[in-house]
PDB file of all heavy atoms in Angstrom:
ATOM      1  N   GLY I   1     -44.672 -26.448 -47.056  1.00  0.00           N
ATOM      2  CA  GLY I   1     -44.052 -27.518 -47.864  1.00  0.00           C
ATOM      3  C   GLY I   1     -42.594 -27.851 -47.604  1.00  0.00           C
ATOM      4  O   GLY I   1     -42.018 -28.704 -48.308  1.00  0.00           O
ATOM      5  N   HIS I   2     -42.017 -27.179 -46.637  1.00  0.00           N
ATOM      6  CA  HIS I   2     -40.577 -27.420 -46.286  1.00  0.00           C
ATOM      7  C   HIS I   2     -40.523 -28.024 -44.876  1.00  0.00           C
ATOM      8  O   HIS I   2     -41.229 -27.572 -43.938  1.00  0.00           O
ATOM      9  CB  HIS I   2     -39.796 -26.078 -46.321  1.00  0.00           C
ATOM     10  CG  HIS I   2     -39.788 -25.430 -47.651  1.00  0.00           C
ATOM     11  ND1 HIS I   2     -38.939 -25.845 -48.658  1.00  0.00           N
ATOM     12  CD2 HIS I   2     -40.581 -24.410 -48.122  1.00  0.00           C
ATOM     13  CE1 HIS I   2     -39.174 -25.073 -49.690  1.00  0.00           C
ATOM     14  NE2 HIS I   2     -40.133 -24.236 -49.414  1.00  0.00           N
ATOM     15  N   LYS I   3     -39.675 -29.022 -44.733  1.00  0.00           N
ATOM     16  CA  LYS I   3     -39.532 -29.727 -43.416  1.00  0.00           C
ATOM     17  C   LYS I   3     -38.344 -29.154 -42.682  1.00  0.00           C
ATOM     18  O   LYS I   3     -37.274 -28.965 -43.245  1.00  0.00           O
ATOM     19  CB  LYS I   3     -39.371 -31.208 -43.652  1.00  0.00           C
ATOM     20  CG  LYS I   3     -40.636 -31.869 -44.191  1.00  0.00           C
ATOM     21  CD  LYS I   3     -40.491 -33.364 -44.256  1.00  0.00           C
ATOM     22  CE  LYS I   3     -41.847 -33.964 -44.778  1.00  0.00           C
ATOM     23  NZ  LYS I   3     -41.766 -35.379 -44.870  1.00  0.00           N
ATOM     24  N   ALA I   4     -38.566 -28.933 -41.409  1.00  0.00           N
ATOM     25  CA  ALA I   4     -37.520 -28.542 -40.472  1.00  0.00           C
ATOM     26  C   ALA I   4     -37.405 -29.611 -39.428  1.00  0.00           C
ATOM     27  O   ALA I   4     -38.433 -30.274 -39.130  1.00  0.00           O
ATOM     28  CB  ALA I   4     -37.875 -27.209 -39.843  1.00  0.00           C
ATOM     29  N   HIS I   5     -36.212 -29.800 -38.878  1.00  0.00           N
ATOM     30  CA  HIS I   5     -36.087 -30.854 -37.879  1.00  0.00           C
ATOM     31  C   HIS I   5     -34.956 -30.571 -36.914  1.00  0.00           C
ATOM     32  O   HIS I   5     -34.065 -29.776 -37.123  1.00  0.00           O
ATOM     33  CB  HIS I   5     -35.798 -32.252 -38.594  1.00  0.00           C
ATOM     34  CG  HIS I   5     -34.563 -32.230 -39.397  1.00  0.00           C
ATOM     35  ND1 HIS I   5     -33.366 -32.687 -38.927  1.00  0.00           N
ATOM     36  CD2 HIS I   5     -34.355 -31.893 -40.691  1.00  0.00           C
ATOM     37  CE1 HIS I   5     -32.454 -32.622 -39.879  1.00  0.00           C
ATOM     38  NE2 HIS I   5     -33.017 -32.101 -40.952  1.00  0.00           N
ATOM     39  N   LEU I   6     -35.126 -31.209 -35.762  1.00  0.00           N
ATOM     40  CA  LEU I   6     -34.118 -31.225 -34.706  1.00  0.00           C
ATOM     41  C   LEU I   6     -33.771 -32.672 -34.518  1.00  0.00           C
ATOM     42  O   LEU I   6     -34.734 -33.515 -34.310  1.00  0.00           O
ATOM     43  CB  LEU I   6     -34.688 -30.578 -33.455  1.00  0.00           C
ATOM     44  CG  LEU I   6     -33.820 -30.628 -32.184  1.00  0.00           C
ATOM     45  CD1 LEU I   6     -34.050 -29.399 -31.306  1.00  0.00           C
ATOM     46  CD2 LEU I   6     -33.967 -31.909 -31.370  1.00  0.00           C
ATOM     47  N   ASP I   7     -32.506 -32.999 -34.505  1.00  0.00           N
ATOM     48  CA  ASP I   7     -32.090 -34.409 -34.296  1.00  0.00           C
ATOM     49  C   ASP I   7     -31.423 -34.533 -32.955  1.00  0.00           C
ATOM     50  O   ASP I   7     -30.734 -33.594 -32.483  1.00  0.00           O
ATOM     51  CB  ASP I   7     -31.097 -34.798 -35.344  1.00  0.00           C
ATOM     52  CG  ASP I   7     -31.711 -34.746 -36.748  1.00  0.00           C
ATOM     53  OD1 ASP I   7     -32.885 -35.066 -36.920  1.00  0.00           O
ATOM     54  OD2 ASP I   7     -30.946 -34.443 -37.708  1.00  0.00           O
ATOM     55  N   PHE I   8     -31.602 -35.666 -32.311  1.00  0.00           N
ATOM     56  CA  PHE I   8     -30.968 -35.927 -30.967  1.00  0.00           C
ATOM     57  C   PHE I   8     -30.657 -37.412 -30.841  1.00  0.00           C
ATOM     58  O   PHE I   8     -31.214 -38.253 -31.517  1.00  0.00           O
ATOM     59  CB  PHE I   8     -31.899 -35.441 -29.892  1.00  0.00           C
ATOM     60  CG  PHE I   8     -33.210 -36.230 -29.720  1.00  0.00           C
ATOM     61  CD1 PHE I   8     -33.211 -37.333 -28.829  1.00  0.00           C
ATOM     62  CD2 PHE I   8     -34.308 -35.895 -30.371  1.00  0.00           C
ATOM     63  CE1 PHE I   8     -34.405 -38.018 -28.683  1.00  0.00           C
ATOM     64  CE2 PHE I   8     -35.506 -36.633 -30.259  1.00  0.00           C
ATOM     65  CZ  PHE I   8     -35.529 -37.729 -29.393  1.00  0.00           C
ATOM     66  N   ASP I   9     -29.746 -37.676 -29.911  1.00  0.00           N
ATOM     67  CA  ASP I   9     -29.410 -39.027 -29.507  1.00  0.00           C
ATOM     68  C   ASP I   9     -29.869 -39.084 -28.040  1.00  0.00           C
ATOM     69  O   ASP I   9     -29.770 -38.060 -27.328  1.00  0.00           O
ATOM     70  CB  ASP I   9     -27.910 -39.295 -29.593  1.00  0.00           C
ATOM     71  CG  ASP I   9     -27.430 -39.317 -30.976  1.00  0.00           C
ATOM     72  OD1 ASP I   9     -28.182 -39.832 -31.923  1.00  0.00           O
ATOM     73  OD2 ASP I   9     -26.292 -38.836 -31.301  1.00  0.00           O
ATOM     74  N   GLN I  10     -30.278 -40.269 -27.627  1.00  0.00           N
ATOM     75  CA  GLN I  10     -30.635 -40.467 -26.207  1.00  0.00           C
ATOM     76  C   GLN I  10     -29.730 -41.539 -25.679  1.00  0.00           C
ATOM     77  O   GLN I  10     -29.751 -42.630 -26.160  1.00  0.00           O
ATOM     78  CB  GLN I  10     -32.117 -40.810 -26.099  1.00  0.00           C
ATOM     79  CG  GLN I  10     -32.620 -40.776 -24.634  1.00  0.00           C
ATOM     80  CD  GLN I  10     -34.105 -40.995 -24.597  1.00  0.00           C
ATOM     81  OE1 GLN I  10     -34.842 -40.490 -25.433  1.00  0.00           O
ATOM     82  NE2 GLN I  10     -34.545 -41.629 -23.534  1.00  0.00           N
ATOM     83  N   ARG I  11     -29.021 -41.146 -24.638  1.00  0.00           N
ATOM     84  CA  ARG I  11     -28.073 -42.092 -23.991  1.00  0.00           C
ATOM     85  C   ARG I  11     -28.032 -41.894 -22.489  1.00  0.00           C
ATOM     86  O   ARG I  11     -27.914 -40.726 -22.057  1.00  0.00           O
ATOM     87  CB  ARG I  11     -26.637 -41.974 -24.495  1.00  0.00           C
ATOM     88  CG  ARG I  11     -26.502 -42.436 -25.914  1.00  0.00           C
ATOM     89  CD  ARG I  11     -25.060 -42.247 -26.397  1.00  0.00           C
ATOM     90  NE  ARG I  11     -25.116 -40.972 -27.202  1.00  0.00           N
ATOM     91  CZ  ARG I  11     -24.080 -40.239 -27.428  1.00  0.00           C
ATOM     92  NH1 ARG I  11     -22.902 -40.537 -26.968  1.00  0.00           N
ATOM     93  NH2 ARG I  11     -24.200 -39.193 -28.142  1.00  0.00           N
ATOM     94  N   GLY I  12     -28.135 -42.961 -21.723  1.00  0.00           N
ATOM     95  CA  GLY I  12     -27.899 -42.852 -20.301  1.00  0.00           C
ATOM     96  C   GLY I  12     -28.635 -41.749 -19.545  1.00  0.00           C
ATOM     97  O   GLY I  12     -28.067 -41.022 -18.780  1.00  0.00           O
ATOM     98  N   GLY I  13     -29.878 -41.601 -19.843  1.00  0.00           N
ATOM     99  CA  GLY I  13     -30.738 -40.570 -19.141  1.00  0.00           C
ATOM    100  C   GLY I  13     -30.463 -39.170 -19.668  1.00  0.00           C
ATOM    101  O   GLY I  13     -30.879 -38.205 -18.999  1.00  0.00           O
ATOM    102  N   ALA I  14     -29.875 -39.080 -20.855  1.00  0.00           N
ATOM    103  CA  ALA I  14     -29.679 -37.731 -21.392  1.00  0.00           C
ATOM    104  C   ALA I  14     -30.145 -37.656 -22.868  1.00  0.00           C
ATOM    105  O   ALA I  14     -30.030 -38.659 -23.606  1.00  0.00           O
ATOM    106  CB  ALA I  14     -28.208 -37.391 -21.373  1.00  0.00           C
ATOM    107  N   MET I  15     -30.596 -36.476 -23.250  1.00  0.00           N
ATOM    108  CA  MET I  15     -30.883 -36.159 -24.642  1.00  0.00           C
ATOM    109  C   MET I  15     -29.847 -35.259 -25.166  1.00  0.00           C
ATOM    110  O   MET I  15     -29.589 -34.182 -24.588  1.00  0.00           O
ATOM    111  CB  MET I  15     -32.248 -35.415 -24.716  1.00  0.00           C
ATOM    112  CG  MET I  15     -32.618 -34.968 -26.103  1.00  0.00           C
ATOM    113  SD  MET I  15     -34.119 -33.893 -26.155  1.00  0.00           S
ATOM    114  CE  MET I  15     -35.404 -35.099 -25.894  1.00  0.00           C
ATOM    115  N   ILE I  16     -29.130 -35.723 -26.188  1.00  0.00           N
ATOM    116  CA  ILE I  16     -28.073 -34.918 -26.759  1.00  0.00           C
ATOM    117  C   ILE I  16     -28.551 -34.352 -28.031  1.00  0.00           C
ATOM    118  O   ILE I  16     -28.814 -35.111 -28.998  1.00  0.00           O
ATOM    119  CB  ILE I  16     -26.750 -35.766 -27.003  1.00  0.00           C
ATOM    120  CG1 ILE I  16     -26.221 -36.313 -25.680  1.00  0.00           C
ATOM    121  CG2 ILE I  16     -25.711 -34.941 -27.697  1.00  0.00           C
ATOM    122  CD1 ILE I  16     -26.643 -37.708 -25.417  1.00  0.00           C
ATOM    123  N   ILE I  17     -28.786 -33.029 -28.076  1.00  0.00           N
ATOM    124  CA  ILE I  17     -29.315 -32.371 -29.258  1.00  0.00           C
ATOM    125  C   ILE I  17     -28.144 -32.139 -30.191  1.00  0.00           C
ATOM    126  O   ILE I  17     -27.179 -31.418 -29.875  1.00  0.00           O
ATOM    127  CB  ILE I  17     -29.999 -31.043 -28.923  1.00  0.00           C
ATOM    128  CG1 ILE I  17     -31.180 -31.270 -28.018  1.00  0.00           C
ATOM    129  CG2 ILE I  17     -30.491 -30.295 -30.225  1.00  0.00           C
ATOM    130  CD1 ILE I  17     -31.897 -30.032 -27.483  1.00  0.00           C
ATOM    131  N   THR I  18     -28.192 -32.812 -31.399  1.00  0.00           N
ATOM    132  CA  THR I  18     -27.033 -32.730 -32.326  1.00  0.00           C
ATOM    133  C   THR I  18     -27.188 -31.790 -33.443  1.00  0.00           C
ATOM    134  O   THR I  18     -26.210 -31.223 -33.902  1.00  0.00           O
ATOM    135  CB  THR I  18     -26.869 -34.195 -32.885  1.00  0.00           C
ATOM    136  OG1 THR I  18     -28.013 -34.649 -33.497  1.00  0.00           O
ATOM    137  CG2 THR I  18     -26.394 -35.173 -31.750  1.00  0.00           C
ATOM    138  N   HIS I  19     -28.392 -31.576 -33.959  1.00  0.00           N
ATOM    139  CA  HIS I  19     -28.602 -30.676 -35.074  1.00  0.00           C
ATOM    140  C   HIS I  19     -30.019 -30.058 -35.009  1.00  0.00           C
ATOM    141  O   HIS I  19     -30.990 -30.688 -34.600  1.00  0.00           O
ATOM    142  CB  HIS I  19     -28.520 -31.414 -36.435  1.00  0.00           C
ATOM    143  CG  HIS I  19     -27.237 -32.105 -36.693  1.00  0.00           C
ATOM    144  ND1 HIS I  19     -26.092 -31.442 -37.009  1.00  0.00           N
ATOM    145  CD2 HIS I  19     -26.893 -33.436 -36.657  1.00  0.00           C
ATOM    146  CE1 HIS I  19     -25.125 -32.301 -37.149  1.00  0.00           C
ATOM    147  NE2 HIS I  19     -25.579 -33.498 -36.972  1.00  0.00           N
ATOM    148  N   THR I  20     -30.052 -28.839 -35.435  1.00  0.00           N
ATOM    149  CA  THR I  20     -31.369 -28.160 -35.666  1.00  0.00           C
ATOM    150  C   THR I  20     -31.280 -27.602 -37.047  1.00  0.00           C
ATOM    151  O   THR I  20     -30.358 -26.763 -37.368  1.00  0.00           O
ATOM    152  CB  THR I  20     -31.612 -27.032 -34.667  1.00  0.00           C
ATOM    153  OG1 THR I  20     -31.477 -27.573 -33.363  1.00  0.00           O
ATOM    154  CG2 THR I  20     -32.981 -26.379 -34.840  1.00  0.00           C
ATOM    155  N   VAL I  21     -32.214 -28.024 -37.967  1.00  0.00           N
ATOM    156  CA  VAL I  21     -32.109 -27.574 -39.388  1.00  0.00           C
ATOM    157  C   VAL I  21     -33.445 -27.053 -39.816  1.00  0.00           C
ATOM    158  O   VAL I  21     -34.499 -27.616 -39.693  1.00  0.00           O
ATOM    159  CB  VAL I  21     -31.763 -28.858 -40.240  1.00  0.00           C
ATOM    160  CG1 VAL I  21     -31.760 -28.451 -41.725  1.00  0.00           C
ATOM    161  CG2 VAL I  21     -30.469 -29.513 -39.785  1.00  0.00           C
ATOM    162  N   VAL I  22     -33.337 -25.745 -40.276  1.00  0.00           N
ATOM    163  CA  VAL I  22     -34.526 -25.059 -40.820  1.00  0.00           C
ATOM    164  C   VAL I  22     -34.098 -24.633 -42.231  1.00  0.00           C
ATOM    165  O   VAL I  22     -33.174 -23.784 -42.319  1.00  0.00           O
ATOM    166  CB  VAL I  22     -34.950 -23.887 -39.973  1.00  0.00           C
ATOM    167  CG1 VAL I  22     -36.109 -23.163 -40.656  1.00  0.00           C
ATOM    168  CG2 VAL I  22     -35.336 -24.390 -38.563  1.00  0.00           C
ATOM    169  N   PRO I  23     -34.743 -25.015 -43.260  1.00  0.00           N
ATOM    170  CA  PRO I  23     -34.434 -24.606 -44.633  1.00  0.00           C
ATOM    171  C   PRO I  23     -34.543 -23.077 -44.711  1.00  0.00           C
ATOM    172  O   PRO I  23     -35.428 -22.461 -44.091  1.00  0.00           O
ATOM    173  CB  PRO I  23     -35.444 -25.242 -45.498  1.00  0.00           C
ATOM    174  CG  PRO I  23     -35.924 -26.475 -44.756  1.00  0.00           C
ATOM    175  CD  PRO I  23     -35.884 -26.009 -43.314  1.00  0.00           C
ATOM    176  N   PRO I  24     -33.670 -22.403 -45.538  1.00  0.00           N
ATOM    177  CA  PRO I  24     -33.692 -20.976 -45.647  1.00  0.00           C
ATOM    178  C   PRO I  24     -35.026 -20.432 -46.122  1.00  0.00           C
ATOM    179  O   PRO I  24     -35.416 -19.296 -45.757  1.00  0.00           O
ATOM    180  CB  PRO I  24     -32.590 -20.643 -46.649  1.00  0.00           C
ATOM    181  CG  PRO I  24     -32.050 -21.945 -47.101  1.00  0.00           C
ATOM    182  CD  PRO I  24     -32.572 -23.052 -46.292  1.00  0.00           C
ATOM    183  N   GLU I  25     -35.767 -21.193 -46.878  1.00  0.00           N
ATOM    184  CA  GLU I  25     -37.102 -20.777 -47.386  1.00  0.00           C
ATOM    185  C   GLU I  25     -38.079 -20.483 -46.303  1.00  0.00           C
ATOM    186  O   GLU I  25     -39.002 -19.718 -46.492  1.00  0.00           O
ATOM    187  CB  GLU I  25     -37.686 -21.840 -48.323  1.00  0.00           C
ATOM    188  CG  GLU I  25     -36.844 -22.073 -49.578  1.00  0.00           C
ATOM    189  CD  GLU I  25     -35.753 -23.101 -49.436  1.00  0.00           C
ATOM    190  OE1 GLU I  25     -35.512 -23.584 -48.333  1.00  0.00           O
ATOM    191  OE2 GLU I  25     -35.117 -23.378 -50.433  1.00  0.00           O
ATOM    192  N   ILE I  26     -37.860 -21.086 -45.102  1.00  0.00           N
ATOM    193  CA  ILE I  26     -38.831 -20.853 -44.004  1.00  0.00           C
ATOM    194  C   ILE I  26     -38.114 -20.356 -42.784  1.00  0.00           C
ATOM    195  O   ILE I  26     -38.618 -20.308 -41.662  1.00  0.00           O
ATOM    196  CB  ILE I  26     -39.583 -22.098 -43.691  1.00  0.00           C
ATOM    197  CG1 ILE I  26     -38.696 -23.316 -43.358  1.00  0.00           C
ATOM    198  CG2 ILE I  26     -40.548 -22.489 -44.802  1.00  0.00           C
ATOM    199  CD1 ILE I  26     -39.406 -24.582 -42.811  1.00  0.00           C
ATOM    200  N   GLY I  27     -36.870 -19.837 -42.956  1.00  0.00           N
ATOM    201  CA  GLY I  27     -36.112 -19.293 -41.812  1.00  0.00           C
ATOM    202  C   GLY I  27     -36.682 -17.993 -41.349  1.00  0.00           C
ATOM    203  O   GLY I  27     -37.547 -17.352 -41.984  1.00  0.00           O
ATOM    204  N   GLY I  28     -36.247 -17.609 -40.155  1.00  0.00           N
ATOM    205  CA  GLY I  28     -36.632 -16.284 -39.576  1.00  0.00           C
ATOM    206  C   GLY I  28     -38.108 -16.311 -38.998  1.00  0.00           C
ATOM    207  O   GLY I  28     -38.609 -15.147 -38.740  1.00  0.00           O
ATOM    208  N   ARG I  29     -38.663 -17.395 -38.802  1.00  0.00           N
ATOM    209  CA  ARG I  29     -40.024 -17.504 -38.298  1.00  0.00           C
ATOM    210  C   ARG I  29     -40.097 -18.085 -36.897  1.00  0.00           C
ATOM    211  O   ARG I  29     -41.245 -18.387 -36.438  1.00  0.00           O
ATOM    212  CB  ARG I  29     -40.906 -18.282 -39.246  1.00  0.00           C
ATOM    213  CG  ARG I  29     -40.960 -17.747 -40.645  1.00  0.00           C
ATOM    214  CD  ARG I  29     -41.954 -18.526 -41.472  1.00  0.00           C
ATOM    215  NE  ARG I  29     -41.800 -18.313 -42.890  1.00  0.00           N
ATOM    216  CZ  ARG I  29     -42.547 -18.897 -43.816  1.00  0.00           C
ATOM    217  NH1 ARG I  29     -43.508 -19.645 -43.480  1.00  0.00           N
ATOM    218  NH2 ARG I  29     -42.287 -18.646 -45.120  1.00  0.00           N
ATOM    219  N   GLY I  30     -39.015 -18.346 -36.283  1.00  0.00           N
ATOM    220  CA  GLY I  30     -39.016 -18.918 -34.929  1.00  0.00           C
ATOM    221  C   GLY I  30     -39.189 -20.405 -34.893  1.00  0.00           C
ATOM    222  O   GLY I  30     -39.458 -21.004 -33.873  1.00  0.00           O
ATOM    223  N   ILE I  31     -39.062 -21.040 -36.026  1.00  0.00           N
ATOM    224  CA  ILE I  31     -39.277 -22.509 -36.132  1.00  0.00           C
ATOM    225  C   ILE I  31     -38.201 -23.252 -35.376  1.00  0.00           C
ATOM    226  O   ILE I  31     -38.563 -24.181 -34.636  1.00  0.00           O
ATOM    227  CB  ILE I  31     -39.310 -22.944 -37.610  1.00  0.00           C
ATOM    228  CG1 ILE I  31     -40.493 -22.242 -38.327  1.00  0.00           C
ATOM    229  CG2 ILE I  31     -39.368 -24.440 -37.746  1.00  0.00           C
ATOM    230  CD1 ILE I  31     -40.495 -22.341 -39.810  1.00  0.00           C
ATOM    231  N   ALA I  32     -36.973 -22.874 -35.459  1.00  0.00           N
ATOM    232  CA  ALA I  32     -35.873 -23.533 -34.718  1.00  0.00           C
ATOM    233  C   ALA I  32     -36.148 -23.461 -33.213  1.00  0.00           C
ATOM    234  O   ALA I  32     -35.998 -24.390 -32.496  1.00  0.00           O
ATOM    235  CB  ALA I  32     -34.533 -22.972 -35.084  1.00  0.00           C
ATOM    236  N   ALA I  33     -36.589 -22.264 -32.816  1.00  0.00           N
ATOM    237  CA  ALA I  33     -36.872 -22.074 -31.338  1.00  0.00           C
ATOM    238  C   ALA I  33     -38.007 -22.999 -30.878  1.00  0.00           C
ATOM    239  O   ALA I  33     -37.937 -23.556 -29.825  1.00  0.00           O
ATOM    240  CB  ALA I  33     -37.230 -20.634 -31.063  1.00  0.00           C
ATOM    241  N   GLU I  34     -39.034 -23.195 -31.737  1.00  0.00           N
ATOM    242  CA  GLU I  34     -40.101 -24.017 -31.352  1.00  0.00           C
ATOM    243  C   GLU I  34     -39.668 -25.510 -31.273  1.00  0.00           C
ATOM    244  O   GLU I  34     -40.079 -26.269 -30.391  1.00  0.00           O
ATOM    245  CB  GLU I  34     -41.292 -23.899 -32.339  1.00  0.00           C
ATOM    246  CG  GLU I  34     -41.951 -22.579 -32.218  1.00  0.00           C
ATOM    247  CD  GLU I  34     -43.099 -22.413 -33.197  1.00  0.00           C
ATOM    248  OE1 GLU I  34     -43.606 -23.372 -33.734  1.00  0.00           O
ATOM    249  OE2 GLU I  34     -43.508 -21.230 -33.391  1.00  0.00           O
ATOM    250  N   LEU I  35     -38.793 -25.929 -32.183  1.00  0.00           N
ATOM    251  CA  LEU I  35     -38.271 -27.265 -32.164  1.00  0.00           C
ATOM    252  C   LEU I  35     -37.440 -27.539 -30.943  1.00  0.00           C
ATOM    253  O   LEU I  35     -37.568 -28.555 -30.226  1.00  0.00           O
ATOM    254  CB  LEU I  35     -37.443 -27.532 -33.410  1.00  0.00           C
ATOM    255  CG  LEU I  35     -38.207 -27.712 -34.721  1.00  0.00           C
ATOM    256  CD1 LEU I  35     -37.276 -27.628 -35.924  1.00  0.00           C
ATOM    257  CD2 LEU I  35     -39.059 -28.963 -34.774  1.00  0.00           C
ATOM    258  N   VAL I  36     -36.581 -26.539 -30.565  1.00  0.00           N
ATOM    259  CA  VAL I  36     -35.758 -26.720 -29.398  1.00  0.00           C
ATOM    260  C   VAL I  36     -36.592 -26.754 -28.124  1.00  0.00           C
ATOM    261  O   VAL I  36     -36.412 -27.581 -27.216  1.00  0.00           O
ATOM    262  CB  VAL I  36     -34.638 -25.658 -29.295  1.00  0.00           C
ATOM    263  CG1 VAL I  36     -33.897 -25.672 -27.993  1.00  0.00           C
ATOM    264  CG2 VAL I  36     -33.674 -25.795 -30.451  1.00  0.00           C
ATOM    265  N   GLN I  37     -37.573 -25.823 -28.057  1.00  0.00           N
ATOM    266  CA  GLN I  37     -38.467 -25.850 -26.892  1.00  0.00           C
ATOM    267  C   GLN I  37     -39.230 -27.196 -26.764  1.00  0.00           C
ATOM    268  O   GLN I  37     -39.317 -27.733 -25.700  1.00  0.00           O
ATOM    269  CB  GLN I  37     -39.449 -24.699 -26.915  1.00  0.00           C
ATOM    270  CG  GLN I  37     -40.275 -24.670 -25.665  1.00  0.00           C
ATOM    271  CD  GLN I  37     -41.213 -23.394 -25.600  1.00  0.00           C
ATOM    272  OE1 GLN I  37     -41.151 -22.558 -26.434  1.00  0.00           O
ATOM    273  NE2 GLN I  37     -41.890 -23.280 -24.513  1.00  0.00           N
ATOM    274  N   ALA I  38     -39.633 -27.695 -27.847  1.00  0.00           N
ATOM    275  CA  ALA I  38     -40.344 -29.045 -27.851  1.00  0.00           C
ATOM    276  C   ALA I  38     -39.441 -30.070 -27.306  1.00  0.00           C
ATOM    277  O   ALA I  38     -39.823 -30.975 -26.487  1.00  0.00           O
ATOM    278  CB  ALA I  38     -40.834 -29.422 -29.235  1.00  0.00           C
ATOM    279  N   ALA I  39     -38.169 -30.056 -27.710  1.00  0.00           N
ATOM    280  CA  ALA I  39     -37.143 -31.028 -27.214  1.00  0.00           C
ATOM    281  C   ALA I  39     -36.958 -30.908 -25.698  1.00  0.00           C
ATOM    282  O   ALA I  39     -36.921 -31.892 -24.995  1.00  0.00           O
ATOM    283  CB  ALA I  39     -35.872 -30.897 -27.959  1.00  0.00           C
ATOM    284  N   PHE I  40     -36.821 -29.668 -25.215  1.00  0.00           N
ATOM    285  CA  PHE I  40     -36.637 -29.468 -23.826  1.00  0.00           C
ATOM    286  C   PHE I  40     -37.890 -29.855 -23.018  1.00  0.00           C
ATOM    287  O   PHE I  40     -37.734 -30.433 -21.940  1.00  0.00           O
ATOM    288  CB  PHE I  40     -36.218 -28.014 -23.526  1.00  0.00           C
ATOM    289  CG  PHE I  40     -34.709 -27.784 -23.578  1.00  0.00           C
ATOM    290  CD1 PHE I  40     -34.105 -27.555 -24.766  1.00  0.00           C
ATOM    291  CD2 PHE I  40     -33.949 -27.860 -22.432  1.00  0.00           C
ATOM    292  CE1 PHE I  40     -32.741 -27.356 -24.840  1.00  0.00           C
ATOM    293  CE2 PHE I  40     -32.558 -27.634 -22.451  1.00  0.00           C
ATOM    294  CZ  PHE I  40     -31.970 -27.385 -23.690  1.00  0.00           C
TER     295      PHE I  40
END
């Protein structure tokens, strides 16, 4: 029931990853790593 997200801007052939946010209630489960890997 908690949303985690990774935000990015796309400019000139580049993805600029600006924020990775995982609420503390669901932290420590590798969610941020999965979001970053999905972005890459």
Side-chain angles (χ1 to χ4, degrees):
H2 300 278
K3 291 186 179 180
H5 61 94
L6 175 148
D7 298 327
F8 68 92
D9 294 322
Q10 190 171 324
R11 286 180 264 158
M15 174 188 287
I16 299 98
I17 299 174
T18 56
H19 301 286
T20 305
V21 178
V22 176
E25 295 87 356
I26 57 172
R29 302 185 197 182
I31 296 166
E34 290 181 18
L35 290 166
V36 172
Q37 184 172 0
F40 272 84

